[in-house]
Amino acid sequence: MIKRLLALDGVQVICLFRDDGTLVDGYGVLDTAGMERLAHFALEYKRMVQANADQLSMFTQTRGWTPPRGWIVRGVGASVCSVGNLVCLVDNREASLNEVMSELRDAASY
């Protein structure tokens, strides 16, 4: 099911991971060890984003900050995008981050 996300322009790797960071399924240009590292990075970053959103919500007393719907870490040549327990690595020159995030949101809802 998640393999279809590789058809999006610029998507190089797509991974599904468990709530403990264990890789469930992955496709793309990375080897298994690389996909495991990507899944672990996504879990840790997801936890950090959730903690920051929780604090922001608590301090501002404003609703709507949590839960975060997803996140993007943008680098010079590539970005990491994640929604739920899905994470992908994309090439910035080829990918539309809006399209990638939209498709990740759809896939994460299954």
Side-chain angles (χ1 to χ4, degrees):
M1 178 180 110
I2 66 169
K3 193 173 188 177
R4 69 179 174 82
L5 294 171
L6 283 176
L8 297 173
D9 290 339
V11 174
Q12 298 175 337
V13 177
I14 181 72
C15 297
L16 173 66
F17 58 94
R18 289 192 178 99
D19 288 336
D20 65 357
T22 304
L23 180 68
V24 174
D25 207 2
Y27 303 97
V29 298
L30 291 178
D31 61 1
T32 302
M35 289 183 196
E36 288 171 349
R37 286 190 304 273
L38 180 61
H40 183 72
F41 167 78
L43 172 71
E44 295 302 321
Y45 204 85
K46 177 181 169 181
R47 287 179 177 170
M48 186 175 62
V49 168
Q50 181 65 54
N52 288 339
D54 288 344
Q55 287 180 353
L56 188 59
S57 180
M58 181 180 66
F59 291 133
T60 63
Q61 296 297 309
T62 305
R63 302 174 127 220
W65 294 104
T66 59
R69 291 178 34 179
W71 53 265
I72 299 171
V73 176
R74 186 170 174 87
V76 174
S79 296
V80 177
C81 305
S82 183
V83 174
N85 286 7
L86 288 174
V87 61
C88 66
L89 177 67
V90 299
D91 184 327
N92 289 340
R93 293 169 292 161
E94 299 175 22
S96 163
L97 294 179
N98 289 332
E99 180 183 12
V100 170
M101 292 302 286
S102 176
E103 292 295 325
L104 278 173
R105 252 183 252 115
D106 288 345
S109 67
Y110 289 112

